[in-house]
Amino acid sequence: GDSVTQMEGPVTLSEEAFLTINCTYTATGYPSLFWYVQYPGEGLQLLLKATKADDKGSNKGFEATYRKETTSFHLEKGSVQVSDSAVYFCALSGGGMDSSYKLIFGSGTRLLVRP
Amino acid sequence: EPEVTQTPSHQVTQMGQEVILRCVPISNHLYFYWYRQILGQKVEFLVSFYNNEISEKSEIFDDQFSVERPDGSNFTLKIRSTKLEDSAMYFCASSGGLAGANVLTFGAGSRLTVL
């Protein structure tokens, strides 16, 4: 079945450092790809998305490019802030022939940014 | 900005008791979902609901679980006889507005503790 694999955390960075969180996927069909963020004590918030190969999703300085050839959707940010400390989830949707809209999540990567 | 609201935010119950978790999805959304997250683990799909019926469910969603949309606004998850391993954060989500059917908006979650 469809699945998402993320790099294990925690990832600890100093403020203004460059961030990469790796995400790869396995899916039949042509899934849409997402990054969701979960701040401490809160629910899941959509950070960015990409719906087809070579699309780049971006939001709040974060970017991710849908790479079909490597089945990847790595999350990047050029300069992280303390306020970016959270758990980041990679997810896919709609990869199956039944066009299910449910999201399949990776295991999440905790990011800790130190001042 | 429209949001998904969930109640209660935290419920403590005794093993074997029935629990109902409530959700108010975004008003113009057509697809509804329940997910759960056991502490420190990945977000797992439970069930999706569309057109007043279950459209997909996971193997976790056994006979102890049921969902209902009793009126035009609420979407509930019932656990008939709770077990210790049902302790988790339960997230409701909805989709199907202008952002698209595959862009899920999540609530803040209901934490269930089974003693």
Side-chain angles (χ1 to χ4, degrees):
Chain A
D2 295 354
S3 65
V4 176
T5 302
Q6 285 181 242
M7 62 187 288
E8 288 197 19
V11 173
T12 303
L13 296 173
S14 297
E15 206 165 24
E16 299 184 3
F18 184 86
L19 168 71
T20 299
I21 300 178
N22 289 338
C23 170
T24 56
Y25 68 91
T26 302
T28 55
Y30 304 97
S32 294
L33 301 174
F34 305 83
W35 278 99
Y36 277 79
V37 59
Q38 185 178 33
Y39 297 103
E42 298 185 17
L44 298 156
Q45 300 176 26
L46 176 66
L47 181 59
L48 53 84
K49 67 171 184 174
T51 56
K52 61 183 188 298
D54 300 324
D55 269 2
K56 178 186 283 188
S58 61
N59 185 27
K60 300 180 182 178
F62 291 89
E63 293 183 341
T65 301
Y66 189 144
R67 300 285 188 202
K68 193 170 188 302
E69 63 276 12
T70 54
T71 62
S72 65
F73 193 55
H74 304 321
L75 182 68
E76 296 181 336
K77 187 175 186 182
S79 176
V80 294
Q81 306 300 311
V82 172
S83 56
D84 293 327
S85 297
V87 180
Y88 292 82
F89 291 91
C90 186
L92 69 79
S93 171
M97 296 299 289
D98 61 357
S99 296
S100 170
Y101 297 122
K102 74 170 190 249
L103 287 172
I104 296 171
F105 286 91
S107 56
T109 303
R110 182 176 300 279
L111 170 66
L112 176 61
V113 181
R114 294 184 171 155
Chain B
E1 186 172 333
E3 59 181 26
V4 175
T5 55
Q6 291 185 240
T7 55
S9 57
H10 188 192
Q11 181 157 356
V12 181
T13 190
Q14 295 291 322
M15 192 169 54
Q17 294 298 303
E18 176 183 284
V19 161
I20 297 176
L21 304 178
R22 290 182 170 79
C23 170
V24 180
I26 293 173
S27 61
N28 65 343
H29 283 186
L30 302 175
Y31 303 87
F32 313 109
Y33 313 82
W34 283 100
Y35 285 78
R36 80 172 185 190
Q37 184 182 30
I38 295 172
L39 186 63
Q41 298 187 24
K42 71 192 303 182
V43 179
E44 301 172 293
F45 168 76
L46 293 179
V47 65
S48 58
F49 192 87
Y50 171 71
N51 200 25
N52 286 319
E53 61 182 20
I54 291 173
S55 50
E56 188 173 354
K57 61 183 180 180
S58 72
E59 58 194 25
I60 302 169
F61 194 88
D62 61 21
D63 292 344
Q64 292 300 312
F65 291 88
S66 63
V67 290
E68 196 176 39
R69 188 157 161 81
D71 52 41
S73 59
N74 291 283
F75 180 52
T76 61
L77 174 69
K78 181 193 291 186
I79 309 174
R80 287 190 184 80
S81 178
T82 51
K83 302 189 277 287
L84 295 176
E85 54 265 36
D86 294 327
S87 294
M89 181 73 89
Y90 288 82
F91 292 105
C92 175
S94 67
S95 70
L98 291 176
N102 65 353
V103 178
L104 276 62
T105 301
F106 285 82
S110 293
R111 180 171 297 284
L112 176 64
T113 301
V114 182
L115 303 176

